[in-house]
Each structure stands twice: as structure tokens, then as C-alpha cells.
Amino acid sequence: MDTFEILKKLTETPGPSGNEGGIAHVIAELWQPYVDSVTVDRVGSLIAVRNGQGKAPRQRLLLAAHMDEIGLMVRQIVSHNGYGFLRVTNVGGVDIRQIYAQQVVVHGRQELPGVLGCLPPSMLPEEKQNKPYDYEDLVVDVGLPAEEVEKLVSVGDFVSFRQPLHQLLGKRVAGKSLDNRASVTAVTLCLHYLAQRTHTWDIIAVATAQEETRLLGAYTSAFSQRPDAAVAIDVTFGKGPGVNDANAFELGGGPTIDWGPNVHPGMYRALKEAADAIELPVHTATHSRYSGTDAFGLQIAREGIPTGLVGIPLRYMHTMVETADLTDIERTGRLLAEFITRLDDKFLESLAAGMMEEK
Amino acid sequence: MNELIKKLTEAYGPAGFEDQVRDLIQPEVAPYADEIKVDALGNLIVHKKGDGSGLKVMIAAHMDEIGVMVTHITKEGYVRFTNIGGVYPRTLHGNRVRFADGTIGIISTEPLADRNKVNSLDKHFIDVGATSSEDCPVKVGDAAGFWREFAVLGSRLVAKSMDDRIGCVVAIEALKRLKETPHDVYFVFSVQEEVGTRGAQTAANALNPDVGIALDVTLTGDTPEARPMAVSLGKGTAIKVKDTGMIAHAGLVKLMRQRAEEAGIPYQMEVLEGGTTDARPMQIANAGCAAGCISIPCRYVHSQSEMVDGNDVENSVRLLVEILSKPIAL
């Protein structure tokens, strides 16, 4: 498996929150060879099940990696000198400072290439010259006359960012939507590794929908699948100039295993033991309450689900140049596979017993 | 329809205190329902059975309105209060509230040096005509809604609590006109939307619908210096794509649009940048459902004079009936 090629295909496929049909299709094709069933649920999450080799009824682990990405949506069509321009709003956590002068695709009646333009600073009123643009200043220009635009585009159409994945020198890659296609890639690698190994538990691989807006797919898939345990995989903050605190991690230094009230301590320990068993470097990330990931929804579905969280270090999150290290993505896949092969029919008992031990 | 709008908008029903509204809706829907119940939170759930070939559809229109609650009564008989839901201080001074028993109070505010500024909520008080705490007819914990009469201004209709009694009216009218449906339809007149879409959440948990459609008001961009928004009063019902609480199911949005076009119903596509509706909890309840919202464009939302256009209301009813009377393929 060529990690770069998988990641390239995944990051370059549009899939803003609420419009995941296209990316779900690509992921379904990638996962198909390794799983026994693939379905899309009522909110758009892709749910793939790989049966374990244990005796039925088997215990089930849910892996959640969200497939949606931040994007934009048309909120108004305005005309200027006969040409049509689109005013947009954010879908998910878009940083307005990062989107000016980006290329986009407008998902209208057909796909329209466009750019995010604005008046040059010298032509703006003085009070705006040294400030970031706001949504009132920015327009998407698709280069067409207003009447053409009116025919092809309507308010509510999605707009996705367009950026090819770049391989930097070494193992670093930069592009859009590595949050969270890096994790979808890691789950893909995990399924590939599992195909060559033995595991007793069933694996429910879920590419969740609408994480960026409300963790929708995590809550709903955990409810419908009712797994015995779950692991969310998402990006975490990478160290870099000016980003050096204890909750940022070196690119290429290995994935994080997360700790705090949002994860089950036994899941943390089991993931850590799996990493140690194969001498895979990992770091502990801590969250004092909300992890900002699918783990938050998974944990409280139904009667509660023992949940773990694995992170892939990423610089420049929520920009078009999100940067990660391919090695960390591959290690995350290996870590998940190792963790899964170690799961046995005593695992849930050991989790429960671990909670009763005197610390 | 105006008579029903008048009756419902003039009713008392701050969030958590919806019983008077529920008592008015119940006789309206009873002749058309296969089954009616009130759940533990107070949602009124009206079931219209399908022919077994369709989906389970939940329609939600909230009965509650924003209001105030008494927190303290001064020796002199003035009433201090807190908000129930999104009450804006600038809408208060000189306006009137009404308590469950009909007691009317006048809202005023402490003096402010700069008359162009607005005092915060805690610097306002209600005068119910009492002379001391002893003869004050209201007590701590009593809730009040705004009080203002319904008015017809040509095709425009003005009332307090159009948000969301107009949604209730759309639901009632659609139920009345819906002769046959393939779907198991549950019209939920929900409680506590204004304090966190709480009634629709429990109703959706209980009903577990395949499709959830909220009926609620949305903002417009057609008043002087309004924040740009491509929705205007009188230009049709609004099909929501996104608000700050949820992104509607793409397939459901497409279907709504298709039904509107087939039937020649004027519609507008809505992207709302402030607020959300009962569609939000429906979307995430249980294993999730295909959620969307038919919106009624409304000016001056959360004031005592919320304005809608009667044609938009009619078109919203027509669209809902079109959707419910035909198969839904998502």
C-alpha cells in the first residue's frame, strides 16, 4: 500500500460536512477488499464491518475517523457589472485569515472552479486595510456572467477547497483536509494489516459524517452499532515555531494516545501496551475535559462505551497547508492493528476490573 | 387561517409553561388524528397513520415562546426577573408582559445617563400595579410571556410569538389538508425549544423517526441595513440548508426543492447564520435521522411584533402537504 497515494486520493476528494457522499464512495472502494459489509447510514456515515475469527457472538470494536472536512456554503449571489459573485459562509471551523486567495470548487448543478477574491488592500477603506478580511469582503469568483451563475448555482450549495497534496522533502506531506483524511488513511492501513493477521473481535470501521460541526456521526453510529469498545482517531496539534506547549507533538515522533476524562483509562493502558509490545514510539496527550473529537460522542452513547483516542500530529490545522508526517500515519495504522489483534474475550472483564483496583 | 393564528399567538406559553397553548391545539387536531398523547415533558404528539408503505416522519413545531421569570419582589412591589430564552434588553422598556392568570405587567428600567444606550436585563423591572410586596399578585418563579395583540397589515401578519405558533399553525393546517399519506406521520407540538430544543429531543428519542422536519421561523435580509441574507418576506416558503446548529440532510433538501418545483410553490433556499431549530436534536437522536426544516420567513424575531407574510405561511403548508402525501426517497 502506498500511503502517499491513498492520502492524496482522500485529501483531494471533496467532502465538506453535510455533503460526504463523494468521499464516502472513495473510502468504500478502499475498504471494500478488507471488510464483510459496507453501508451508509441515515446521517451519511460510512459503516464497514470486518468480522473477527472468534466464535460468534463476537465482541465488537468501533473505529471512528471522521471523513468530513471544513468548507464553505453559498449564502447569497450578487451581481457586479453583469458578472455573478458568490458570498459564502463557513461550514465548520474555518479561519477567515486562511481562506483569501484560495482555489475552490462550487458544487452547483455542475462543479464550477472558482477563486476566493477580494478588493486589493489599497482599494479598501482605510480602517480595513490592515485587518483580516471578513465574510462581507470576500467573494467566490467563478468567472461567469450573472445569468449563468444564477442558472448553475443556488443559495445553500456547498463550496469545497481545492488543493493538491504536496510531498515535501523527506516524509512530510502538506495539503487540505489531512484533518481527518490522515486518520482515514491510518484506518485503511490498519484494515490492510489485519487482513494478514488473526483477530477475534469484529471491527466496525466508521468514517463519520459531520464531525466538524457537531460530532454527528460519532453519536449516531455508536448508538446504532452499540459496540463493546471504541477508538476515535483524529489529528492533534503538531509542534512548530511558536507551538511548543506540552500538548503539541513532534511530527514524525509517533502518534499520541490520549488521556483524560474523555477516554477510558483501561483503553489508554491497552493502547499503550500495544505500542510498547512493538516498540512503537507514542506520546501521551491530555485533555482535562472535552477532547474536541469523535471520542466525546462515542463515550456517552447508549449505556456508555469504553473509548480510547489516538492522535496524529498535524501543523497548521484547518488551513490548506496542513502538514503531517507519513511515518506517523503508518505508525497509527500499525498501532491500531496491534491493539486489535491483542483483544480477547477477557478484555472487557479486564477493563472493568481495572476500574475497581485501588490506585 | 388568520383566526387560528390570532388564537395561538395571543396565547400564553413561555418555555416550560406550554399547557395553555397545548389546550388550544388539542381540539384543533383531534378530529384529524388517529392517536394523540402528551409525553412526560409536555410535548403534544399527534399521530396520523400511513398506509404502511412509507417512512416514519416526525414534524416538529414548538409551542413555547420566550418570556421572563420572576426572581425577586422588592418591598415596594416591583418585580425583578430573569430571561426565559433569548430575550433582548432593547425590546423591553415600555412593553407589557402577561402572567399565566392574566395579570398584566409593564416593563421599565433604571435610569441611564446616556439615553442611546440600553440597560442590561438585570436593571429592568416589572410594575404590576402593586404598592408593596404584600399586595403583589405575582410571586417568585412565576413566568410571563410578552403581551401584544395580533394585527393584520395587508398580507403581512404581526404578533408576539409568531416564533413559533406560526409553525404550529402550519402543522395544524397541513394535518387538516392531508387526506392520505404513505407515511406514519407524527406531528409533535414541542416544548422548551427556546431553552435548548429540549422537547423535540425527547420526542425524537421516543419516536425514532426516519425523517425529521422542523417548522420554524427564519430571519430575513430585507430590512434597512440588515445583515445580508438571501431570504425575504413574501417571496415564498424557505427550505433550510444550514443554520448554526445543523446542516440539513442533502437528500431531504433536494426532495423538498423538487416537490416545491413540481407543485409550483414559491420557495427560497435558506442559509441562516444565527440560531437553530428542533431539527437539530432530531438529527442526532438515537441512530440519527434525515433532518431538515421548512422555515417561515419572519422579521423582528424575538420582539413583541414578529412579522410574517400570509402567503409564505400558505406556501409552507402547501409544501409540507406535498412532501407528506408522496413517497420520500432519500
Side-chain angles (χ1 to χ4, degrees), chain B:
Chain B
M1 218 172 351
N2 282 4
E3 206 177 309
L4 181 61
I5 298 173
K6 178 178 168 67
K7 185 155 67 171
L8 292 189
T9 56
E10 291 183 356
Y12 164 91
F17 304 87
E18 298 89 352
D19 37 324
Q20 294 187 21
V21 182
R22 194 169 56 231
D23 291 346
L24 291 174
I25 294 175
Q26 204 147 349
E28 293 287 336
V29 294
Y32 308 92
D34 292 311
E35 186 191 0
I36 295 186
K37 67 172 184 182
V38 177
D39 74 7
L41 260 79
N43 294 306
L44 175 66
I45 301 176
V46 179
H47 183 192
K48 177 158 176 82
K49 285 186 180 151
D51 64 14
S53 70
L55 301 177
K56 191 190 279 185
V57 182
M58 172 172 161
I59 305 296
H62 68 90
M63 296 188 288
D64 61 309
E65 63 187 294
I66 56 167
V68 299
M69 183 179 275
V70 177
T71 52
H72 174 72
I73 295 159
T74 69
K75 300 207 287 294
E76 299 81 11
Y78 293 107
V79 174
R80 295 287 192 174
F81 61 92
T82 186
N83 61 306
I84 297 176
V87 174
Y88 308 135
R90 67 169 188 273
T91 63
L92 296 179
H93 175 64
N95 269 307
R96 298 177 189 190
V97 292
R98 189 179 46 167
F99 290 84
D101 64 356
T103 299
I104 298 287
I106 313 304
I107 310 177
S108 192
T109 184
E110 297 170 18
L112 194 65
D114 183 347
R115 287 188 196 184
N116 296 316
K117 294 243 167 73
V118 179
N119 266 332
S120 57
L121 199 78
D122 59 326
K123 304 238 185 285
H124 287 75
F125 55 86
I126 299 169
D127 186 339
V128 290
T131 57
S132 75
S133 57
E134 275 88 62
D135 72 352
C136 184
V138 302
K139 57 186 193 306
V140 172
D142 284 358
F146 292 130
W147 171 237
R148 188 64 70 90
E149 274 183 349
F150 171 71
V152 178
L153 316 177
S155 70
R156 315 293 208 200
L157 312 172
V158 185
K160 64 119 185 131
S161 72
M162 278 295 183
D163 176 7
D164 183 33
R165 306 290 157 69
I166 201 66
C168 297
V169 168
V170 170
I172 294 166
E173 276 295 319
L175 172 65
K176 288 179 179 173
R177 293 186 204 176
L178 188 64
K179 298 286 175 268
E180 275 174 20
T181 172
H183 311 294
D184 241 347
V185 188
Y186 292 85
F187 290 89
V188 175
F189 298 90
S190 64
V191 295
Q192 299 194 30
E193 191 272 354
E194 296 291 359
V195 290
T197 60
R198 295 167 62 74
Q201 186 174 330
T202 57
N205 282 342
L207 296 172
N208 199 25
D210 301 301
V211 176
I213 299 174
L215 308 170
D216 210 332
V217 297
T218 189
L219 307 180
T220 67
D222 62 352
T223 54
E225 301 297 314
R227 180 178 192 175
M229 182 176 177
V231 173
S232 304
L233 226 57
K235 292 202 174 157
T237 184
I239 297 172
K240 188 188 295 287
V241 186
K242 174 184 180 292
D243 60 28
T244 45
M246 68 120 210
I247 297 169
H249 187 279
L252 183 59
V253 170
K254 198 169 152 196
L255 178 113
M256 287 182 174
R257 236 179 130 163
Q258 196 184 332
R259 292 284 178 265
E261 281 179 10
E262 286 161 359
I265 300 167
Y267 72 94
Q268 318 175 61
M269 300 306 289
E270 175 209 346
V271 176
L272 176 66
E273 294 182 275
T276 195
T277 73
D278 277 342
R280 176 177 161 83
M282 285 195 275
Q283 183 176 53
I284 207 164
N286 298 346
C289 75
C293 179
I294 295 175
S295 300
I296 303 98
C298 183
R299 291 180 187 158
Y300 326 121
V301 172
H302 286 202
S303 80
Q304 295 80 355
S305 301
E306 298 175 328
M307 178 189 280
V308 300
D309 189 293
N311 297 317
D312 295 339
V313 179
E314 171 63 22
N315 287 320
S316 302
V317 175
R318 286 176 62 204
L319 177 58
L320 183 57
V321 172
E322 282 294 319
I323 292 165
L324 293 179
S325 53
K326 291 176 181 165
I328 296 175
L330 295 171

Side-chain angles (χ1 to χ4, degrees), chain A residues 250-268:
Chain A
E250 287 294 351
L251 266 54
T256 61
I257 300 175
D258 294 50
W259 173 258
N262 194 173
V263 303
H264 190 290
M267 291 294 285
Y268 168 84

Side-chain angles (χ1 to χ4, degrees), chain A residues 17-19 41-43 73-76 87-91 109 136 154-158 210 213-216 219-220 223-224, chain B residues 208-210 228-230 241-242 245-250 257 261 269-271 273 279-281 283-290:
Chain A
S17 310
N19 193 16
D41 75 3
R42 292 196 293 222
V43 301
M73 183 179 280
V74 177
R75 69 185 161 93
Q76 205 178 25
R87 287 191 194 280
V88 291
T89 187
N90 65 305
V91 172
R109 284 186 197 271
E136 303 311 312
S154 74
V155 169
D157 284 349
F158 285 90
Q210 295 191 43
T213 48
R214 59 180 312 199
L215 312 181
L216 177 62
Y219 282 98
T220 51
F223 184 94
S224 71
Chain B
N208 199 25
D210 301 301
M229 182 176 177
V241 186
K242 174 184 180 292
M246 68 120 210
I247 297 169
H249 187 279
R257 236 179 130 163
E261 281 179 10
M269 300 306 289
E270 175 209 346
V271 176
E273 294 182 275
R280 176 177 161 83
Q283 183 176 53
I284 207 164
N286 298 346
C289 75

